Every structure is written in C-alpha cells, then in structure tokens.
Amino acid sequence: MTAEYTPASFDPLSTVQIANTICETFERQPLVSMAYEIPRFEGSGLYALYYRGHSVDLYLPLASLQIPVYAGQALSSNSATGERVRERYPLHSRLKQHRLSILEGGLPITEFRFRALLLPDVHADLGENALRVGYQPVWNSKLKGFGSKEQGSTTRQSKKSKWDTVHDGRRRTHGGVIHDVEKLKEQVRAHIAQQVSDYDERAWPHPSADKYLDLDVP
C-alpha cells in the first residue's frame, strides 16, 4: 500500500510568516537595563519589557524566560487619522514613560529590562499583535492599565486600574477603587504559571537564556 503524501505549504509573504520573522528578529535584540535614564534615539517601532530580578516574587517565574511582562509599539503616525506623529523620538519617549511608571509603582527598576526594534508602523503592529497573542504578557492581559496615560477629566474619573491597584504609587488621580489586590495577585500567579507551561509552544524559535545579550548602559 502506497502512503499518501502532500508537500508542505509555505508562503513567505503571509502575514503570519512575516509576524513570526519579526518576533524572531526582535528576540535577538539585546535586553537593556532600565536602571539608568534610557539614551535618546530617534524612530518608531516595537518594544517589550522584561523582569530579570529576584526580589519580586510575583514575577520571579519569568526571570529567566523570554516572556515579557508588557509588549507595545510606538508609531510614527496616528492610527485613527493617519497623521504623522510630530515627536521625533516616539519609541524612546514611550520607554521613558514606562520607566517612570515602574519607578512610581514601587518596583525595583534595576530588575527590569527592555528590548526594542525600529520598524515601519505596519510591521510594528504585526509584531506587537504576535507578541501579545503568543505570550499574553501579564501587564497587557491581567493587570491592564500600565500603558495608560492620564489625559483630562474623563481619564481622571476612571476607576483605579488593575495595574495601579497592585503597584500603587503613580502620581495620578482616579474615580475610585474597584479591584481586590489579593484576588488580582492570585490571577496573576495562575496566569504566569500557564505562560511558563506553554512556553515552548511559540510559533517562532526563541533563543535560550544564554543566547541573548544583556546590556547595562549607564
């Protein structure tokens, strides 16, 4: 009896393949310490934040893995209007804002790293979506509110975010507390345990812990 055979199918220009290539290239970029002011650079693109410490028990299971706590993008144009962003340093500015949030949230900034890659907007969007779907970063999914900005009376009337409930301290006003901090922490622990369990199921190969460069830039 002859075995059935069908050749494999491969489309190198499919959105899925492009996204996987972006993520694989992204994860080859160095991890840069957030302990110091981030050197300014121009451009827009993709970025992610990582925990690389030993003092925050909540995130300790992620300390040796490629799983980010947060993934995002900084674009050169407004996605709603198509207008070009006047800021010359959108990616740097976003990372600078996040650094301040981590500091104000009472987290040890020396134990956090970022990774960044300059990209056209369309590719940054593909990469961010792939990172979020592939890893479900905890600050994107379970502790929402980290990346939000306080802008005007409407935002100030919003309830305290999940991220700010667990990591209290940012200088911003809010319309009240609606989340239970201990329940949130339980959800985070369960989520991270699932992330670790699913770690080897990514669609793109990620380098092992001894293959990426860790930069300490003063």
Side-chain angles (χ1 to χ4, degrees):
M1 176 176 167
T2 304
E4 293 185 3
Y5 168 72
T6 301
S9 176
F10 178 66
D11 180 358
L13 297 181
S14 70
T15 55
V16 172
Q17 182 58 39
I18 292 173
N20 291 345
T21 300
I22 291 169
C23 289
E24 185 178 356
T25 302
F26 178 76
E27 291 187 345
R28 290 176 181 160
Q29 305 311 303
L31 287 172
V32 183
S33 173
M34 302 185 79
Y36 310 98
E37 288 288 340
I38 299 168
R40 192 163 67 165
F41 56 86
E42 295 186 19
S44 57
L46 179 65
Y47 69 90
L49 310 180
Y50 300 80
Y51 180 69
R52 287 291 182 273
H54 53 78
S55 65
V56 185
D57 290 343
L58 198 59
Y59 305 124
L60 196 57
L62 303 177
S64 63
L65 303 177
Q66 292 278 24
I67 301 173
V69 294
Y70 187 79
Q73 59 176 306
L75 303 181
S76 63
S77 61
N78 186 310
S79 59
T81 65
E83 295 180 357
R84 299 286 294 182
V85 175
R86 294 182 180 178
E87 170 66 66
R88 287 175 57 191
Y89 314 96
L91 184 50
H92 171 267
S93 295
R94 196 73 171 133
L95 289 168
K96 186 177 179 179
Q97 293 164 7
H98 291 334
R99 182 178 183 274
L100 180 60
S101 289
I102 293 171
L103 282 167
E104 291 184 344
L107 291 163
I109 194 65
T110 57
E111 298 185 0
F112 283 85
R113 305 286 187 272
F114 76 85
R115 174 177 278 136
L117 183 64
L118 299 176
L119 286 166
D121 288 358
V122 63
H123 294 135
D125 186 63
L126 282 175
E128 182 196 28
N129 183 69
L131 289 175
R132 289 193 178 198
V133 172
Y135 286 124
Q136 295 289 308
V138 65
W139 292 355
N140 293 102
S141 56
K142 294 301 178 182
L143 292 184
K144 293 183 178 180
F146 171 74
S148 65
K149 301 178 182 178
E150 185 172 30
Q151 297 178 341
S153 59
T154 301
T155 305
R156 288 196 292 271
Q157 291 170 8
S158 299
K159 302 299 182 181
K160 193 170 188 176
S161 76
K162 293 182 177 181
W163 192 89
D164 288 290
T165 299
V166 174
H167 302 299
D168 192 20
R170 284 200 288 189
R171 294 191 297 269
R172 56 180 58 194
T173 54
H174 57 83
V177 178
I178 57 174
H179 304 291
D180 182 283
V181 64
E182 293 305 321
K183 287 184 178 179
L184 286 176
K185 287 182 178 180
E186 285 183 19
Q187 294 171 7
V188 168
R189 292 187 187 99
H191 180 73
I192 289 177
Q194 188 63 54
Q195 286 179 301
V196 174
S197 176
D198 296 340
Y199 184 61
D200 292 325
E201 297 182 10
R202 299 291 76 74
W204 61 89
H206 41 222
S208 60
D210 61 348
K211 295 297 183 182
Y212 55 72
L213 182 60
D214 198 334
L215 294 182
D216 192 22
V217 181

